[in-house]
Amino acid sequence: MAGLELLSDQGYRLDGRKAPELRKVQARMGVFAQADGSAYIEQGNTKALAVVYGPHEMRGSRSRTLHDRAVINCQYSMATFSTAERKRRPHGDRKSTEMSLHLKQTFEAAVMTQLYPRSQIDIYVKVLQADGGNYSVCVNAATLAVIDAGIPMRDYVCACTVGFVDETPLADLCFAEESGGGSSLALALLPRGGQIALLQMDARLHQDHLETLMEAAMTACKGVSKVLDEVVRQHLQEVSVLTGE
Amino acid sequence: MIKTEKIVHLKSSRGRKVRVVREHYLRQHVPCYSSLCQARCNNDGQVLSGDVTHYVFPDVGVVVDYQEVLEVAGLRGVVFTQTACHAVQHGKGRRQYNRLRGLLKDPRHDCVLFANEFQEYAYCSREKGESQDKWHNRCVYSAAVWYHDHLAGVKPVVMITEDVSAVAEYSSLHSGIYIVSMQEYLQNFWPELQAAQDLYCSISQTLQEKESEGTEREYTEHLPSEVLEAGIKSGRYIQGTLNVNKHRAQNEAFVRLEGSSNKNTDLNSDVLVSGGKSRNRAVHGDTVVVELLPRSEWSGRAMALSEGQGEDKPPESIQSQPMPTGRVVGILQRNWRDYVVTFPPKEETQSRNSRRILATPWDQRIPKIRISTQQADALQDHRVVVRMDSWESTSLYPNGHSVRVLGRAGELETEIQTILIENSIHILPFSEAQLREMPANSPENPWRADAAARRDLRESHLVFSIDPRGCEDVDDTLSVRSLPGGERLELGVHIADVTHFVPEGSLTDLEARTRATTYYLADRRYDMLPAVLSADLCSLLGGVDRYAMSVIWELDTRTLAVHKVWYGRTLIRSSYQLHYELAQALLNGEPAQVLELTRLEPDQRDAKLAQLTEALEMLTHVARHLRAQRDQGGALELEGVEVRAQLDEDKNITALVPREPLEVHETVAECMIYANHWVARKIQESFPQQALLRYHPPPRQEYFNQLVDSATARGFTINTRSNKDLAKSLDQAVDPKDPLVNRLLRVMATQAMSNALYVSTGSIPQDQYYHYGLALDRYTHFTSPIRRYADVVVHRLLTAAISLDQDSDPSKPLASNKELEVMAQHINKKNQAAQRTQKLSTELFQCLYFKDKDPLTDPCCVADAIMYSIRANGFLVFIPQYGLKGAVYVKNREGQVVSAGQDGTCEWQSGSVHRYPDHISTVCSAGTTTFSLFHHITVRISVQPSRCHSDSLHLEVLSNTPHQSPPEPADLPGPQHRGSTQLVQEVVRLAEEATQQAQEKAAQGNRLSREERAFRQTKGPNLYSLLEEVRELALMDMQACGTGGGGLLGLIGQAGCTTSA
């Protein structure tokens, strides 16, 4: 009934952020030694783990092999304990299949697959705690993991969700904002060139507002890319100290 | 920013408890919104002034319970904490919260919101096991401490709380912060605000009473809101607005359905809710959810006129066919407002518990309200403003508290205030801050015409205004002239440029927006703009320079077709300030004294007079043409009965005078309509999504039933298919012996129509912009910006449209469609209130007029009346002499009926009543008496006093023959007086129409023949169209049957209005 007030008259959101502010992002690369690349990211209370294997030879059905580039295989899953109510999530339900497909499309646009013909790159992402913006957090985690695996990419892929409340775009929605009605848009961006890797929106939105919303999403993605860049640099520094170079 | 986490326990959709972790970000820079801030906070928007003695932090309990006290205008320097606002939002619902938001936004109140929960140092997280109240107190206290320190201790800070333990706990902790209870605070800091203290007392008493309430259940509980929502979605329940029948307030109420939410398509009339139990504590105007009863329990509405007020008669045998009946299962939104009640005299108060009193609201549709007060004795027979607080299921009546005492019932001032409050009109005098904004009319501030922005018409144009006598706020002037060459004619409408003086967003603008219109009461008016503007600076007075907004057309001299339109700002000097009677006299060639010319030499005067008369004649010519053009389109000539109370110096009524129509009225009106229409076209074309228009939806056909029936009884046929047909058949329905018949039919046609409304173009499809009454495809209000806020909005739109044409960006972004729609709704609401107020005040004066007269002896109280509608036990009459409408009964409560003697004199005898479509007859031992529609009878008018409600007029049949009136008083217009001018007017118009018709026919003929040539189509009525028409008729009949209830409701609702007159 009495809907939550997503944006107060003073311009505060439910959790105290202002409209264009992101949640706190913390990330680590190389969390697992066994995989080729791995990363863990926290964006507010949404936490995700990404693991990358490859590039390696095609496994399973060889018929999917592409002769000019690598195949990217993505798998998205959510931990049973990731939401407030524990819920068993069967493997391959519709939501995660769709999400996997989105991830795949995003990374096919970003990874330089033509360097590895006839091979396969596996990206596994698991959401450990879900609090809105699952897709974008997964993309960000996977980016770090791919970098960690040393697979060349055109640019970082940074993603962010943006919502639209009271004619104002809100960056990086949390769960309460996402479920509170209103339309939300997910954007994955290659920030340096400003190319869009994926753009997704399910809800209705007036055409006039689309441009402002896209602009807000791009700014937010660029913000995310700065944070990721810092994480990568710091990681490299740590690693280079360890290897003694 | 620092991230913390907050753990909230919420209920999930299935009712389970869920633990939710939410982030909570804290920051160092949260604006304090105080003008004393030295830390350079980002304080844009409204700030607290520095000239108060202290700042006050009300705690959560105080804000939730005593928000009304904090709204009192004099209280300043209030800082609301975010904690308290959240508590209001969650504890009190959206309505209360919106009021708080409105309060915070209102620049007239000195209060701000401090977002303490997002301030790093003011926030305190809830400790384990801490109760919510304690935590809230701690939050508010730490916010107060932070605020005090932030302002470097410049202002003392007072925290008010009703929690005694909090006072003890915190009072000695900090030197700059004082913690007091609400009562002490009001007494010590604001001793001059008596109103706040009274309000506080009445609320606190109510709160105390609430705790000691009985447990016996009178009503069934309302269902929880989730169940209601699910029920509405699945179609099991129906959502709608509750309307209580004014005449059977105890028993009958209807739920008007709300369009799209209702999936039950076979239900297209209103739902009847009968009896108090099934109404289940809903009050008139609430948004309720009803459940339909099984069909076997459906009942019909009562059809008889109810006599007297407030009595609980058992349902009579006469009922309409059963209609959907339901019971209220829940209330989605209370729509309580301020109510005026009357305290009962002493002997009626309950002796047992004299502190709680049942007071009767002025509005009959509202149940009695229980009020706790200690001033019951002092308030006897006083009218008091109250607010309802709650209505528990254990209580038969709602609880309320008193807010303000208006005065003794029956006094004029009290009654006028009552009318205003009952229509939710709150008018405070203009504040000093607003008046300070006003520009002064001084020589240092000359009237300038910038070549770029403003055209100077002072020398080139003869501008004049025509208004009622004694008018101060002249907002429209006219000019007309032939252009050199004689081919073209230039017509100009110049409207006061209010937006030049009232910038958007200024205090004056805000105040004008809240008022939305000037309120005209019978004896006074409340202006929308301060008098400096409305009577001087904006008013287009004669002989002085004024700014105006003009529309200037170039017309062809012969065909009067538009060649060019120019819109823009101008500087004008009105040469003549005429009034209607004078203008008419000039037109008729009668000798008249023009004030502006008296000082001139005779020959000069004659020349000027000739010039003016020529202009007036030209204007009349153009207006006649315009009118004829609109008549072609189907414009209706509608009739409202307007009566003016003539007052002498001491505001005593000397007579009730119906208004007299002159042709000049129509001429001026026609020019204004034309200007409005062209402006509407302009703004709609420039801003297709966000222009403010006025539209008039076509009425529903079944509302015309009464009109058609009455007309049929008199032998006229009324065709209501389109506005043109209606206008035509109304023109034909003239009884040569009785001009009143036609007038009454027009009144009834007007009643059948809905009101014209303002709308933002983005929210309805373009084909609905049509104005039914005026027969124009687009219409707006442009010509009275001094009196109506809508015109101010339109002026701004027009200015923006002009600057858009000149390729310069408008200085400010325009209101979006959504904002404009909200504003349109607001203005509509206020306009309705203004109309109701005007009507009620007129009725009040009618009652006052008859109150002093003894009905048995005074000849004024006996009048001629004409019957226009028949009911089961009486009929409705119209009294032309006073412009009154009312009900007359032929059967009284004892079952006696009226019977007429030989000479027509009536007396009461026992007998029976028979009702027929066109007459009603009574049968008794003396014989049969018949009253037929549109017959004249004689009635006696007396006042029926009422203590709690407004007085009403009572009509009684004296004779079924026309009243042999004494020679008419001189001030009433006799028919022969009007005859000549009207005749001229009529003939000219008919001629115009005939020529136009001929032209149109010629055009049509051409077109048709072309079609004929191309497609070989026949011109005459073919079989297809005939069948189509038959089908439509059938559909309409079905509709009429199905929605009979709805249609009847409308009619009876209107009849209801008249019976109370």
Side-chain angles (χ1 to χ4, degrees):
Chain A
M1 289 295 292
L4 289 169
E5 191 185 41
L6 295 180
L7 190 67
S8 75
D9 293 333
Q10 278 73 24
Y12 291 107
R13 290 155 68 174
L14 286 173
D15 49 10
R17 287 183 287 157
K18 300 239 166 155
E21 287 173 349
L22 300 175
R23 291 180 286 182
K24 189 176 177 126
V25 183
Q26 284 175 306
R28 265 180 68 195
M29 291 164 70
V31 283
F32 297 124
Q34 287 158 321
D36 293 316
S38 60
Y40 169 75
I41 194 168
E42 281 186 12
Q43 208 164 332
N45 277 343
T46 308
K47 299 170 186 178
L49 198 59
V51 178
V52 172
Y53 293 94
H56 54 73
E57 261 181 42
M58 287 300 292
R59 286 191 198 127
S61 63
R62 298 201 166 231
S63 55
R64 288 189 301 134
T65 315
L66 297 175
H67 297 279
D68 54 342
R69 57 195 160 98
V71 171
I72 290 185
N73 176 32
C74 285
Q75 216 168 71
Y76 165 92
S77 59
M78 278 174 91
T80 47
F81 49 81
S82 63
T83 48
E85 275 179 286
R86 198 189 117 94
K87 193 175 167 193
R88 243 188 68 76
R89 290 169 203 281
H91 197 69
D93 62 332
R94 270 189 50 176
K95 226 169 91 184
S96 54
T97 317
E98 189 192 351
M99 204 65 109
S100 307
L101 205 66
H102 283 155
L103 283 175
K104 184 179 156 163
Q105 285 169 350
T106 314
F107 280 94
E108 273 173 354
V111 174
M112 302 177 95
T113 44
Q114 72 277 14
L115 296 180
Y116 307 103
R118 291 167 204 276
S119 51
Q120 177 181 1
I121 300 169
D122 293 322
I123 303 175
Y124 298 107
V125 194
K126 191 153 191 113
V127 174
L128 301 179
Q129 188 174 335
D131 188 29
N134 292 352
Y135 165 75
S136 34
V137 176
C138 287
V139 170
N140 297 338
T143 309
L144 291 180
V146 170
I147 293 170
D148 188 38
I151 299 170
M153 289 207 289
R154 294 190 174 82
D155 191 2
Y156 293 103
V157 205
C158 302
C160 200
T161 46
V162 182
F164 197 68
V165 171
D166 293 339
E167 319 266 307
T168 323
L170 304 184
D172 199 8
L173 302 182
C174 70
F175 180 72
E177 287 166 337
E178 236 174 25
S179 55
S183 39
S184 77
L185 173 143
L187 177 78
L189 189 76
L190 304 178
R192 258 186 305 175
Q195 292 147 312
I196 292 171
L198 188 108
L199 176 71
Q200 186 217 356
M201 183 168 65
D202 303 328
R204 288 161 61 102
L205 182 80
H206 196 282
Q207 196 184 351
D208 296 354
H209 301 316
L210 187 63
E211 206 164 314
T212 53
L213 203 54
M214 290 277 289
E215 228 145 78
M218 293 216 188
T219 336
C221 287
K222 282 175 187 157
V224 172
S225 91
K226 253 185 226 159
V227 181
L228 296 190
D229 193 52
E230 220 156 90
V231 170
V232 173
R233 279 173 202 283
Q234 204 186 347
H235 176 71
L236 284 179
Q237 221 161 27
E238 282 166 20
V239 174
S240 54
V241 167
L242 281 180
T243 51
E245 280 174 24
Chain B
M1 281 201 301
I2 294 184
K3 179 190 153 188
T4 55
E5 283 179 356
K6 198 162 74 167
I7 296 166
V8 194
H9 291 272
L10 294 175
K11 269 191 179 163
S12 79
S13 55
R14 279 180 230 134
R16 260 184 289 171
K17 224 176 179 188
V18 185
R19 189 182 140 104
V20 173
V21 184
R22 281 207 190 133
E23 289 171 279
H24 192 85
Y25 289 90
L26 301 176
R27 59 183 73 220
Q28 289 190 333
H29 297 290
V30 170
C32 62
Y33 297 112
S34 166
S35 52
L36 296 176
C37 177
Q38 278 132 31
R40 269 171 287 159
C41 280
N42 182 20
N43 293 332
D44 43 349
Q46 196 190 344
V47 292
L48 279 185
S49 61
D51 60 351
V52 288
T53 57
H54 63 282
Y55 288 143
V56 57
F57 276 70
D59 91 334
V60 173
V62 170
V63 175
V64 169
D65 289 335
Y66 298 105
Q67 193 189 327
E68 283 172 39
V69 180
L70 299 172
E71 280 171 12
V72 170
L75 227 56
R76 298 173 60 214
V78 186
V79 182
F80 288 97
T81 53
Q82 191 189 7
T83 319
C85 286
H86 279 181
V88 170
Q89 190 184 5
H90 294 298
K92 283 284 190 164
R94 193 185 293 164
R95 199 174 144 85
Q96 189 94 356
Y97 179 61
N98 281 343
R99 264 179 62 180
L100 185 58
R101 275 173 64 183
L103 185 71
L104 288 166
K105 273 189 209 150
D106 195 337
R108 286 166 287 180
H109 287 274
D110 197 23
C111 59
V112 294
L113 176 76
F114 170 53
N116 63 320
E117 296 196 2
F118 298 143
Q119 216 306 323
E120 195 180 331
Y121 305 114
Y123 173 67
C124 25
S125 60
R126 189 168 170 180
E127 281 159 16
K128 249 199 168 124
E130 189 180 25
S131 79
Q132 194 179 29
D133 292 340
K134 272 238 154 78
W135 176 52
H136 280 162
N137 282 339
R138 204 154 59 85
C139 283
V140 175
Y141 178 72
S142 75
V145 170
W146 182 86
Y147 211 86
H148 179 258
D149 296 348
H150 178 75
L151 298 182
V154 177
K155 282 277 148 181
V157 168
V158 180
M159 171 175 163
I160 43 177
T161 177
E162 288 291 276
D163 189 348
V164 188
S165 62
V167 177
E169 192 182 341
Y170 298 114
S171 57
S172 51
L173 286 183
H174 200 291
S175 63
I177 294 170
Y178 305 94
I179 299 179
V180 292
S181 75
M182 184 84 184
Q183 191 170 13
E184 281 176 53
Y185 174 72
L186 288 176
Q187 276 166 5
N188 296 334
F189 290 91
W190 304 101
E192 70 278 11
L193 285 182
Q194 192 58 40
Q197 281 175 38
D198 291 349
L199 197 56
Y200 168 78
C201 290
S202 94
I203 297 176
S204 68
Q205 200 142 42
T206 315
L207 286 173
Q208 279 169 18
E209 292 286 338
K210 204 188 260 175
E211 288 156 14
S212 60
E213 225 153 60
T215 49
E216 201 182 330
R217 187 157 294 178
E218 302 278 353
Y219 296 99
T220 47
E221 289 291 345
H222 292 152
L223 297 175
S225 57
E226 302 97 70
V227 179
L228 294 180
E229 286 221 323
I232 293 166
K233 271 191 188 142
S234 67
R236 183 161 171 231
Y237 300 138
I238 301 161
Q239 177 186 344
T241 317
L242 189 84
N243 275 309
V244 175
N245 185 340
K246 192 152 110 196
H247 304 280
R248 286 178 195 79
Q250 310 266 349
N251 286 321
E252 266 187 15
F254 298 90
V255 174
R256 183 149 299 167
L257 307 180
E258 274 163 24
S260 56
S261 68
N262 168 34
K263 286 183 180 167
N264 203 344
T265 44
D266 53 75
L267 193 76
N268 44 14
S269 72
D270 296 346
V271 175
L272 174 73
V273 175
S274 71
K277 287 276 183 235
S278 43
R279 200 185 300 168
N280 199 356
R281 293 174 278 152
V283 177
H284 176 79
D286 289 351
T287 309
V288 298
V289 178
V290 289
E291 181 186 35
L292 283 187
L293 295 174
R295 205 169 271 264
S296 56
E297 290 174 38
W298 286 10
S299 54
R301 50 159 49 252
M303 290 293 275
L305 291 169
S306 72
E307 203 171 343
Q309 297 155 334
E311 49 187 328
D312 230 8
K313 279 197 282 187
E316 283 179 43
S317 51
I318 321 149
Q319 278 193 346
S320 70
Q321 58 193 19
M323 58 187 289
T325 309
R327 66 183 185 91
V328 175
V329 291
I331 292 172
L332 287 181
Q333 181 67 63
R334 292 283 191 191
N335 269 328
W336 289 345
R337 53 180 173 88
D338 288 4
Y339 298 102
V340 176
V341 300
T342 312
F343 274 76
K346 201 166 192 180
E347 52 271 23
E348 279 182 36
T349 20
Q350 300 93 323
S351 55
R352 187 175 55 82
N353 190 351
S354 61
R355 288 174 60 204
R356 312 179 78 190
I357 288 164
L358 276 180
T360 319
W362 187 84
D363 189 343
Q364 286 145 4
R365 296 169 297 196
I366 309 298
K368 287 184 181 174
I369 302 173
R370 187 188 292 133
I371 289 159
S372 321
T373 178
Q374 278 161 336
Q375 302 167 289
D377 293 343
L379 290 180
Q380 274 182 54
D381 281 322
H382 276 65
R383 298 232 199 268
V384 179
V385 183
V386 300
R387 291 186 188 138
M388 279 198 234
D389 293 321
S390 61
W391 195 347
E392 306 302 327
S393 61
T394 52
S395 146
L396 208 49
Y397 295 103
N399 294 317
H401 65 267
S402 61
V403 177
R404 190 152 65 91
V405 181
L406 289 179
R408 192 165 276 283
E411 283 166 13
L412 179 63
E413 199 52 37
T414 314
E415 297 300 320
I416 296 258
Q417 288 302 323
T418 306
I419 290 173
L420 288 177
I421 287 174
E422 278 295 316
N423 287 295
S424 304
I425 298 172
H426 302 278
I427 293 170
L428 297 167
F430 290 100
S431 72
E432 255 177 51
Q434 282 159 2
L435 293 179
R436 236 178 286 139
E437 280 184 355
M438 294 295 103
N441 187 10
S442 57
E444 302 95 72
N445 219 352
W447 302 84
R448 263 192 307 253
D450 297 337
R454 210 173 267 286
R455 206 166 127 185
D456 193 346
L457 303 181
R458 281 177 295 185
E459 301 304 323
S460 53
H461 287 64
L462 173 76
V463 179
F464 53 91
S465 65
I466 309 177
D467 276 290
R469 204 190 283 265
C471 182
E472 282 175 348
D473 45 348
V474 183
D475 41 20
D476 47 77
T477 53
L478 295 159
S479 72
V480 66
R481 61 170 185 173
S482 316
L483 290 182
E487 289 285 300
R488 303 277 174 86
L489 202 73
E490 193 191 65
L491 173 69
V493 171
H494 315 280
I495 306 298
D497 191 0
V498 170
T499 49
H500 178 82
F501 296 103
V502 184
E504 195 165 5
S506 62
L507 288 177
T508 321
D509 184 49
L510 289 174
E511 182 65 32
R513 186 181 305 182
T514 21
R515 296 190 183 194
T517 169
T518 294
Y519 298 94
Y520 291 92
L521 270 57
D523 63 333
R524 67 189 78 186
R525 68 164 200 269
Y526 293 97
D527 286 327
M528 184 178 84
L529 295 170
V532 191
L533 287 183
S534 61
D536 185 14
L537 287 181
C538 290
S539 181
L540 304 173
L541 302 170
V544 285
D545 293 353
R546 285 291 181 263
Y547 291 146
M549 196 79 163
S550 301
V551 184
I552 296 173
W553 298 271
E554 268 182 34
L555 308 170
D556 192 289
T557 313
R558 279 183 311 110
T559 61
L560 294 180
V562 178
H563 280 286
K564 220 166 95 187
V565 198
W566 182 85
Y567 306 91
R569 296 193 133 142
T570 50
L571 177 58
I572 60 162
R573 182 185 291 159
S574 168
S575 316
Y576 306 98
Q577 198 178 344
L578 308 173
H579 52 86
Y580 287 116
E581 289 77 11
L582 181 62
Q584 189 66 50
L586 284 175
L587 275 174
N588 294 352
E590 294 162 19
Q593 277 288 324
V594 179
L595 195 66
E596 285 86 349
L597 298 178
T598 40
R599 266 174 285 141
L600 290 175
E601 296 297 313
D603 50 337
Q604 221 172 348
R605 189 194 309 165
D606 286 346
K608 289 255 180 188
L609 203 61
Q611 196 192 4
L612 175 62
T613 315
E614 193 198 328
L616 281 174
E617 272 164 2
M618 211 186 301
L619 195 68
T620 316
H621 170 63
V622 174
R624 273 177 197 152
H625 175 81
L626 294 177
R627 171 78 205 186
Q629 212 170 15
R630 272 196 317 117
D631 279 345
Q632 274 307 109
L636 294 168
E637 193 180 338
L638 299 173
E639 185 92 27
V641 199
E642 275 188 281
V643 182
R644 206 165 25 141
Q646 221 168 47
L647 306 175
D648 58 16
E649 296 86 66
D650 308 329
K651 299 214 163 159
N652 291 321
I653 306 139
T654 49
L656 294 172
V657 191
R659 290 219 173 131
E660 182 186 2
L662 293 173
E663 195 196 356
V664 174
H665 282 132
E666 226 174 75
T667 305
V668 175
E670 207 54 55
C671 294
M672 295 305 139
I673 291 171
Y674 203 52
N676 286 335
H677 171 58
W678 277 89
V679 170
R681 281 173 65 156
K682 175 78 185 165
I683 58 174
Q684 194 266 330
E685 277 157 15
S686 302
F687 307 107
Q689 292 301 322
Q690 48 205 42
L692 187 74
L693 293 191
R694 190 169 171 82
Y695 81 120
H696 187 198
R700 281 162 67 173
Q701 286 297 324
E702 58 263 27
Y703 289 171
F704 283 122
N705 288 348
Q706 191 196 7
L707 168 69
V708 174
D709 291 349
S710 300
T712 318
R714 190 67 184 198
F716 302 122
T717 45
I718 300 280
N719 188 347
T720 59
R721 287 285 289 283
S722 71
N723 46 4
K724 196 173 174 184
D725 291 340
L726 182 63
K728 212 167 166 187
S729 44
L730 277 177
D731 282 341
Q732 283 163 357
V734 178
D735 188 339
K737 277 174 274 168
D738 193 353
L740 274 175
V741 173
N742 186 260
R743 213 170 132 198
L744 270 176
L745 287 175
R746 284 185 196 280
V747 171
M748 284 157 86
T750 318
Q751 279 183 351
M753 285 172 215
S754 47
N755 285 326
L757 295 169
Y758 295 106
V759 74
S760 166
T761 46
S763 29
I764 57 169
Q766 189 161 1
D767 54 338
Q768 283 178 21
Y769 296 167
Y770 190 67
H771 196 291
Y772 180 86
L774 296 175
L776 292 171
D777 56 348
R778 276 159 291 181
Y779 190 67
T780 191
H781 270 164
F782 164 73
T783 50
S784 299
I786 300 182
R787 300 190 280 113
R788 295 184 299 227
Y789 192 72
D791 301 50
V792 177
V793 178
V794 170
H795 274 232
R796 289 193 183 123
L797 283 166
L798 184 60
T799 318
I802 294 166
S803 60
L804 202 70
D805 285 350
Q806 291 159 354
D807 290 331
S808 56
D809 282 333
S811 52
K812 265 187 197 168
L814 289 167
S816 69
N817 174 37
K818 207 167 134 198
E819 288 163 344
L820 202 58
E821 186 55 32
V822 171
M823 198 189 302
Q825 301 282 4
H826 166 75
I827 299 176
N828 285 334
K829 214 166 79 190
K830 286 288 171 191
N831 265 341
Q832 265 170 18
Q835 271 170 18
R836 266 200 312 271
T837 321
Q838 192 175 5
K839 185 167 157 259
L840 285 172
S841 75
T842 312
E843 281 170 16
L844 175 68
F845 276 89
Q846 283 170 348
C847 287
L848 287 177
Y849 176 69
F850 289 108
K851 203 168 196 172
D852 313 332
K853 307 205 167 18
D854 180 15
L856 293 179
T857 54
D858 200 316
C860 284
C861 292
V862 178
D864 190 51
I866 175 165
M867 295 172 53
Y868 69 91
S869 179
I870 289 188
R871 292 283 182 274
N873 59 351
F875 44 82
L876 305 180
V877 296
F878 172 69
I879 302 172
Q881 191 183 346
Y882 301 113
L884 274 176
K885 280 189 263 178
V888 174
Y889 305 97
V890 291
K891 185 176 185 179
N892 64 8
R893 251 171 279 183
E894 288 84 50
Q896 289 181 315
V897 298
V898 167
S899 85
Q902 287 299 320
D903 55 345
T905 335
C906 293
E907 51 193 18
W908 295 99
Q909 280 182 341
S910 54
S912 60
V913 178
H914 300 278
R915 183 190 170 189
Y916 304 97
D918 61 340
H919 66 272
I920 186 167
S921 59
T922 57
V923 181
C924 60
S925 53
T928 313
T929 314
T930 311
F931 299 93
S932 317
L933 265 184
F934 295 113
H935 271 205
H936 287 255
I937 57 167
T938 309
V939 293
R940 175 187 291 143
I941 307 161
S942 58
V943 175
Q944 206 168 42
S946 162
R947 203 175 49 76
C948 302
H949 310 293
S950 55
D951 294 347
S952 50
L953 290 178
H954 180 74
L955 306 178
E956 195 185 350
V957 195
L958 283 187
S959 153
N960 67 347
T961 52
H963 178 51
Q964 303 302 325
S965 56
E968 290 209 2
D971 57 350
L972 281 175
Q976 65 277 23
H977 176 74
R978 275 186 240 155
S980 58
T981 53
Q982 244 179 2
L983 206 70
V984 173
Q985 196 183 330
E986 201 68 12
V987 168
V988 172
R989 187 188 303 156
L990 281 180
E992 286 265 5
E993 244 168 84
T995 51
Q996 280 199 357
Q997 229 157 17
Q999 279 171 7
E1000 198 158 286
K1001 255 204 188 124
Q1004 222 166 32
N1006 272 334
R1007 207 177 59 235
L1008 270 180
S1009 62
R1010 213 181 308 129
E1011 271 170 17
E1012 204 177 15
R1013 252 178 282 134
F1015 309 112
R1016 300 266 163 253
Q1017 280 196 346
T1018 48
K1019 224 193 278 182
N1022 56 12
L1023 196 62
Y1024 175 73
S1025 61
L1026 190 72
L1027 284 172
E1028 241 352 70
E1029 257 170 51
V1030 169
R1031 199 176 65 90
E1032 258 170 51
L1033 278 176
L1035 278 179
M1036 217 140 46
D1037 275 354
M1038 291 288 284
Q1039 257 173 2
C1041 295
T1043 56
L1048 273 174
L1049 179 72
L1051 289 182
I1052 291 185
Q1054 275 148 2
C1057 300
T1058 55
T1059 34
S1060 71

